[in-house]
Amino acid sequence: MGRSRRTLPEELLLLALDPATGTTAQPQSLDLGLAGAQLVELALAGRIAPDGDRIAVVSPRPTGDPTLDCALELLRRRGAPVRAVNWIGGPRLGLRQTYLSHLERCGMVHAVAGQMCGVLPTTRYQASQTEISREIRARLDSAIRTGVPPDPRTAALAALAHAVGLGKHLYPGNEGRSSRSRLRDLIRHDPMGGLVAHAVMDVQNGVAAQPRRSPAPTGRPAGPGARQAAEPARGVPVQPHRGSMARVVAH
């Protein structure tokens, strides 16, 4: 896999960077989105494929991207297909910082040192090549404005942007409501992107990561041994904790 093409995790992170503050929007959910974007990128590269709601390795051949290859190797070591929600919900310590550092090495962003409350050292990131960020944004805008089915890469990026809550960052206010709705609708144009985006939202909403059991037939009591409560149906999220995810400074 050549480095002439930006990967989906890189594009998602560039979309999330606030040009005014140098911070990333939706930082907590963005970490989940980056893990999901790795899966979509590996699928586009022909290394993994969806198997129901699971992810299966179909080719362990390295892509040439160290961060993606690390994820591919971890998937390979599982030995069997893994549920997307389990993979995305797993620990991903430092993934956002890994990609920020990578973008800095590539010259796409530059770090700006500062202090929080005049004491705590902080690092903010500003886009160095703003034309790249504009091109990424223009692809989303075009897909939303024209209604023409986008290419799989753009469709997956839209699905991930919606899943991590970037809609309000990209299209704020009442005037952006219709654009946010169309951004959400683009999720249907890429099966892998849709699978991963729903997994990201499931993790955020606290949907159980265990295989779901069929409930007892309606109108008939469950047998003596059937004491387990049925899990929520897919697409019906558990009520998330109250409180919005605050924007934080990238370290």
Side-chain angles (χ1 to χ4, degrees), residues 54-107:
R54 297 175 182 269
I55 303 298
V57 175
V58 295
S59 172
R61 183 168 55 88
T63 66
D65 181 295
T67 309
L68 289 175
D69 288 341
C70 179
L72 179 61
E73 177 61 14
L74 289 174
L75 286 166
R76 187 193 66 79
R77 289 179 184 176
R78 294 291 185 96
V82 59
R83 294 187 72 214
V85 70
N86 287 358
W87 173 261
I88 291 169
R92 293 290 180 275
L93 295 177
L95 188 58
R96 181 161 36 108
Q97 185 57 54
T98 294
Y99 275 107
L100 282 169
S101 299
H102 169 73
L103 291 176
E104 184 181 15
R105 288 193 301 271
C106 293

Side-chain angles (χ1 to χ4, degrees), residues 4 76 96 100-101 144 183 196 216 236:
S4 59
R76 187 193 66 79
R96 181 161 36 108
L100 282 169
S101 299
I144 287 173
L183 179 71
V196 169
V236 183

